Amino acid sequence: MNRRDFGKAMLLTGAAALLPPSALLAATEGPTLAAIRARGALRIGVFAGTEPYYHKNLATGEWEGFCVAMGHDLAQYIGVKLELVETTWGNAVIDLQSDKIDIMFGLSNNPQRAKVVDFTQALMDNTFTLVARKDLEVTKWEEMNKPEMRVAVDLGSTQDNFARKNLPNCTLVALKSADETILALQSGRADAIIQVALLAVVTTKHLAPNVKLIIPDPHGSQPTTIGVRRDPNGEFRDYVDAWLAERRGQGKVSSWIVDSLALVGVDKAALPANLTF
């Protein structure tokens, strides 16, 4: 750097030091956060049938669940209102790409998704389980990897990806929504549903005593994260990670999850011991 360039750099540094903190933040916050502030609203994806993640109170029309609680808190942290946009696991990535939503709580990272959206640090490490008809006796995943085993999953979900990778020989009953997989199990069209543990404990409670929860060996798990629209340098991802680390340090992430389980009548003691959040 020559003397003239050095002088310019020092002038710019001095000017930056005189800027208020809000102006410095605006210069580094990236296009997603800037658009959220300009709009005055944080848009998150929601959909029914995925308690305790998302739950629509039919009596009031209000959305509840720990992902909704997190959305409210993040919106308040940014200083904007929260806007809820209905979607599905399968459509969430497209909705992030097409600017329909800004963030999708509870969206797990995988190589295909990571090509087009950014992911935060993990919210929890969620175990894959089976919600199975009561007479189904299996203890290992390999026992489900047979054509006579009909396994229901919701399209585009983490459990869909898990089944296609680990149970290629089963009869996969791939349906549009989590609610449809439950109906398939109830009607006898499926022998079991693959769900992550946090969903499975709720489904098992709702369908008791006609089903049971099985955690087959070897235990498989998937970190549950937050998907965000990609910024050039990951600015919004980093912003959300900073918020998440702060809230985890305050114990709020655990409280949001436990409170949402109580919302649907499930005690924390029903969770698998190896589920951490």
Side-chain angles (χ1 to χ4, degrees):
M1 180 182 292
N2 61 36
R3 184 176 298 177
R4 178 178 296 176
D5 291 336
F6 179 78
K8 288 180 179 179
M10 292 303 293
L11 284 172
L12 289 172
T13 301
L18 296 174
L19 290 173
S22 59
L24 290 172
L25 177 61
T28 60
E29 67 183 13
T32 298
L33 189 54
I36 291 167
R37 293 188 193 279
R39 187 188 312 118
L42 172 71
R43 302 167 303 179
I44 72 168
V46 298
F47 58 102
T50 53
E51 294 86 354
Y53 292 75
Y54 303 96
H55 171 71
K56 190 170 187 178
N57 188 318
L58 297 180
T60 66
E62 296 293 319
W63 284 90
E64 303 164 312
F66 82 85
C67 290
V68 179
M70 294 182 82
H72 278 293
D73 189 82
L74 179 57
Q76 186 176 21
Y77 186 84
I78 297 171
V80 296
K81 67 180 182 179
L82 182 67
E83 185 176 319
L84 307 176
V85 180
E86 294 201 42
T87 185
T88 65
W89 290 134
N91 289 337
V93 170
I94 296 172
D95 288 348
L96 283 167
Q97 284 183 280
S98 61
D99 197 24
K100 290 184 179 178
I101 59 176
D102 304 303
I103 191 166
M104 188 73 203
F105 289 94
L107 188 68
S108 293
N109 191 345
N110 66 44
Q112 287 302 113
R113 289 172 174 171
K115 291 177 181 178
V116 291
V117 300
D118 277 343
F119 290 92
T120 66
Q121 296 297 314
L123 282 173
M124 72 186 79
D125 196 33
N126 219 343
T127 304
F128 289 107
T129 71
L130 291 171
V131 179
R133 66 172 200 265
K134 199 166 186 180
D135 63 336
L136 187 65
E137 298 295 334
V138 298
T139 58
K140 301 179 184 298
W141 283 111
E142 64 185 38
E143 297 172 73
M144 298 299 297
N145 194 27
K146 305 172 184 176
E148 60 267 31
M149 290 295 186
R150 300 164 300 166
V151 180
V153 294
D154 45 329
L155 278 166
S157 65
T158 300
Q159 41 271 19
D160 182 10
N161 294 334
F162 177 85
R164 293 178 193 276
K165 179 180 178 180
N166 295 281
L167 306 176
N169 298 318
C170 77
T171 297
L172 194 65
V173 183
L175 301 167
K176 183 178 179 181
S177 69
D179 284 344
E180 289 182 31
T181 65
I182 292 172
L183 289 173
L185 179 61
Q186 288 178 301
S187 65
R189 290 174 52 213
D191 301 301
I193 309 168
I194 296 180
Q195 289 188 332
V196 289
L198 204 59
L199 295 175
V201 292
V202 177
T203 302
T204 304
K205 178 178 176 60
H206 286 168
L207 300 185
N210 300 315
V211 302
K212 60 184 176 183
L213 178 62
I214 303 171
I215 307 176
D217 291 321
H219 290 183
S221 64
Q222 170 73 38
T224 296
T225 59
I226 304 169
V228 301
R229 190 165 54 260
R230 177 167 288 167
D231 280 346
N233 299 302
E235 294 96 339
F236 189 49
R237 175 203 62 214
D238 294 345
Y239 183 92
V240 176
D241 267 334
W243 163 82
L244 180 61
E246 181 178 318
R247 294 304 189 245
R248 177 173 283 114
Q250 296 167 342
K252 289 191 174 183
V253 173
S254 177
S255 295
W256 285 325
I257 294 173
V258 171
D259 289 349
S260 69
L261 286 169
L263 180 71
V264 288
V266 174
D267 190 272
K268 182 183 178 182
L271 295 174
N274 62 343
L275 181 63
T276 58
F277 47 80

